[in-house]
Amino acid sequence: MTPAIATLRVYSTGDLREDGDYVVYWMIAARRTHYSHALQHAAHLCEALGKPLVVLEAIRADSRWASERVHRYVIQGMADNAARFADKGVAYHPYVEPSHGDGTGLLEALAERACLVVTDTFPSHFLPRMVAAVRERLDVRLDEVDGNGVIPLRAPDRDFTVAHSFRRWLQKNVAELWDPPVADPLTRATAGATIPGAVRERWPAFADGSPTGDEPLPAPLAASLAGTPGPIPERGGPAAAREAWRTFWEGKFERYHEDRSHPDDGVQSGLSGWLHFGHLGVHEVLADVLADWDPATARKATGKREGWWGLPEASEAFLDEILTWREIGYIQAFREGENFAHYQSLPAWARESLAEHAGDPREVYTLEQLAESRTDDVLWNAAQRELVRTGRIHNALRMLWGKKVLQWTASPQQAFAFLVELNNRYAIDGRNPNSYSGIGWVLGRFDRAWGPERPIFGKVRYMTSDSARRKWRVKQYLSRFG
Ligand SMILES: Cc1cc2nc3c(=O)[nH]c(=O)nc-3n(C[C@H](O)[C@H](O)[C@H](O)COP(=O)(O)OP(=O)(O)OC[C@H]3O[C@@H](n4cnc5c(N)ncnc54)[C@H](O)[C@@H]3O)c2cc1C
């Protein structure tokens, strides 16, 4: 990492305790052991200070939209991480909070004997609030490391209201900001610590610190999560994530630009759940996609969607999703803070146009009717069923899924609220900056005004199930989820 980029990625507060016993890495977003800027930073400090590493990975009992689905996925990730840390001799404490408040004081107790605490920056859900509160409480240095994407969240000094302007900015700056973390940051310096006995006693590690991922949840937690969405067929964790990427990369990737919009063909990576929980880092994926890219040959930035990288069409199309669309969401969520998760963060032109059409007649469904796929639109019902059963919706259909909810709710504000609720309750990748950029996009975010003006939509881009069914291959999809 060059010093300039390190400054952009690491935000440091408090004082180093040089006579501490170890370095703590509080793993809250980049829940993996490979290609992680935060773990690399912590390992580097272990080396510099001559102190071993202690890793705390926890999950709270009661966060908003907590579910069996999310817990199982995270715990499966803990199983992979536990195995890998054990292999490397690194002290790892996976903690699954049994009931609200049980985990209070755990980080502070570990930090009492720490030289410093390293953690992740993540610009969504309750994490920014949680880290801000810890920053106030800790009496030792806290390094917050941003390993979210290729562009550090602090790098742009302006907002981006449309994808085109961010794309152009990215093209201008990406070569300079390209700083992949090392594949394996764990070294001999990180090994050899033990979790203090008092911590282990008061906050016992889940499954004695060596989960397989399939253990029952602690009883109070199981009771509090009863009735929430259940586990999905996809397994959480870095191992499944890396395997999914390899399978996609070696199998369907080269067809991505042509076939990704057809739900029947399944030509999408399916990575978003793992990316959301940090089970997979974007740099690991890009190590393959950009293997033949030479930053020194970067061309003039035009903001054009294709052709700038000088790579095959599939790579260009994939990069536009995983870089332009993914990172504009992270960057704006970071810049706008909590506001990004609210209706008023939508562009003024969209809010004005939607307000002008607020009185247009419409058919209205309740949240329950939507959640239970009880509309008169077969394709929409199938997408919602896919979401409930598998925790995901095919990428192209997700746009249609959102647009229809705008048509079926009493107001655009209610559409936003219903979409947030359905997305974050069921989607494995929900509660992410891209939850709010995707839902916001449905209502005009990062888009421009379109004509002709339509009922309900006004100048916001319009989509219908009929046109989707004409354009996309959906027959098998409908027989699976219809
Ligand atoms: C209404 C709505 C809600 C959405 N909610 C979420 C969400 O909760 N979490 C989430 O991660 N994404 C969300 N998206 C964006 C997008 O739909 C998903 O990222 C994508 O469907 C994930 O599937 P995939 O991994 O197979 O994508 P692929 O097509 O394989 O793309 C690769 C990666 O690029 C990124 N990406 C792809 N499309 C987009 C996009 N439009 N915007 C931002 N990043 C993108 C994702 O990280 C994705 O994993 C939403 C979009 C809409 C329209």
Side-chain angles (χ1 to χ4, degrees):
M1 239 196 271
T2 70
I5 298 175
T7 315
L8 289 173
R9 288 210 184 265
V10 183
Y11 178 68
S12 205
T13 46
D15 296 324
L16 185 72
R17 191 184 293 131
E18 284 192 33
D19 62 351
D21 293 342
Y22 44 68
V23 170
V24 170
Y25 172 38
W26 181 32
M27 180 188 268
I28 59 170
R31 294 175 180 263
R32 61 180 180 273
T33 56
H34 290 99
Y35 290 93
S36 161
H37 282 103
L39 192 54
Q40 175 175 313
H41 180 71
H44 169 77
L45 287 162
C46 288
E47 186 97 34
L49 296 163
K51 303 287 164 106
L53 182 66
V54 162
V55 181
L56 168 65
E57 182 181 4
I59 179 162
R60 284 163 70 145
D62 64 336
S63 63
R64 180 90 176 91
W65 299 295
S67 65
E68 240 193 283
R69 174 166 294 186
V70 165
H71 267 75
R72 184 55 61 200
Y73 204 81
V74 168
I75 290 170
Q76 288 166 342
M78 286 176 168
D80 293 351
N81 290 336
R84 176 120 167 90
F85 282 124
D87 199 38
K88 291 283 189 168
V90 174
Y92 170 68
H93 196 68
Y95 180 71
V96 177
E97 189 183 45
S99 47
H100 169 68
D102 288 351
T104 306
L106 165 55
L107 177 67
E108 287 83 344
L110 267 183
E112 264 172 36
R113 288 168 49 191
C115 302
L116 82 160
V117 175
V118 174
T119 194
D120 304 303
T121 301
F122 184 74
S124 193
H125 203 25
F126 64 90
L127 275 72
R129 254 179 288 128
M130 176 177 76
V131 172
V134 162
R135 201 185 295 140
E136 295 303 308
R137 281 203 307 269
L138 278 189
D139 62 356
V140 72
R141 186 170 124 187
L142 177 67
D143 282 4
E144 298 164 42
V145 184
D146 162 21
N148 291 288
V150 170
I151 305 300
L153 298 173
R154 288 184 183 80
D157 56 3
R158 48 169 286 214
D159 291 325
F160 299 99
T161 53
V162 288
H164 182 267
S165 67
F166 176 60
R167 199 179 284 115
R168 203 171 52 212
W169 189 95
L170 193 141
Q171 293 172 352
K172 265 192 203 149
N173 293 285
V174 67
E176 198 186 327
L177 294 172
W178 175 245
D179 73 319
V182 295
D184 181 4
L186 298 175
T187 61
R188 220 175 303 155
T190 54
T194 46
I195 307 291
V199 169
R200 274 185 283 132
E201 233 164 79
R202 170 130 185 236
W203 296 278
F206 184 68
D208 291 330
S210 312
T212 61
D214 302 319
E215 294 82 0
L217 299 176
L221 180 62
S224 73
L225 296 181
T228 59
I232 51 172
E234 175 178 306
R235 190 177 166 91
R242 300 179 105 192
E243 196 186 318
W245 166 244
R246 288 251 69 78
T247 306
F248 179 65
W249 172 244
E250 286 159 15
K252 295 181 173 175
F253 183 85
E254 61 186 25
R255 289 167 47 207
Y256 187 77
H257 59 302
E258 284 172 342
D259 295 331
R260 73 190 142 135
S261 294
H262 302 293
D264 281 357
D265 296 0
V267 182
Q268 75 271 347
S269 71
L271 294 182
S272 58
W274 293 298
L275 287 171
H276 168 66
F277 287 105
H279 290 156
L280 187 68
V282 77
H283 286 94
E284 178 161 5
V285 172
L286 295 185
D288 289 324
V289 182
L290 294 179
D292 295 330
W293 180 63
D294 177 1
T297 62
R299 306 141 195 237
K300 190 171 174 327
T302 59
K304 268 179 66 181
R305 205 183 325 184
E306 283 138 24
W308 184 80
W309 298 90
L311 291 171
E313 279 177 273
S315 302
E316 299 261 347
F318 189 76
L319 285 165
D320 202 50
E321 300 297 351
I322 204 161
L323 272 187
T324 311
W325 284 102
R326 180 174 178 274
E327 300 209 1
I328 192 178
Y330 274 73
I331 286 165
Q332 283 305 121
F334 180 73
R335 295 181 65 81
E336 294 180 36
E338 300 235 344
N339 190 44
F340 193 67
H342 295 282
Y343 183 83
Q344 66 266 19
S345 70
L346 297 178
W349 69 262
R351 278 181 290 125
E352 276 159 25
S353 184
L354 291 167
E356 279 166 22
H357 290 268
D360 293 354
R362 60 195 79 200
E363 185 183 5
V364 169
Y365 291 109
T366 64
L367 182 63
E368 285 64 39
Q369 284 172 316
L370 294 173
E372 293 165 11
S373 297
R374 287 192 280 123
T375 77
D376 60 5
D377 184 316
V378 176
L379 187 55
W380 193 91
N381 290 345
Q384 173 64 21
R385 239 174 250 126
E386 184 191 11
L387 177 63
V388 171
R389 286 188 204 159
T390 71
R392 51 177 57 256
I393 301 183
H394 181 276
N395 198 348
L397 272 180
R398 206 166 189 172
M399 299 187 250
L400 177 71
W401 174 81
K403 294 280 182 187
K404 293 298 291 184
V405 173
L406 171 58
Q407 248 171 303
W408 291 334
T409 34
S411 65
Q413 289 84 349
Q414 191 183 60
F416 189 91
F418 279 16
L419 284 169
V420 167
E421 181 56 36
L422 293 171
N423 190 81
N424 288 355
R425 188 194 294 173
Y426 297 110
I428 198 64
D429 62 9
R431 307 153 306 278
N432 182 272
N434 289 314
S435 312
Y436 301 102
S437 50
I439 291 164
W441 179 86
V442 163
L443 300 161
R445 187 174 351 250
F446 302 142
D447 207 355
R448 63 172 170 87
W450 291 76
E453 252 181 80
R454 310 263 184 178
I456 304 173
F457 284 80
K459 294 177 187 155
V460 168
R461 190 197 294 247
Y462 174 73
M463 277 174 97
T464 68
S465 295
D466 287 345
S467 65
R469 286 178 78 158
R470 272 197 305 276
K471 277 194 303 194
W472 301 334
R473 295 188 284 275
V474 296
K475 210 167 144 207
Q476 288 159 26
Y477 183 84
L478 283 176
S479 68
R480 193 163 163 219
F481 296 109

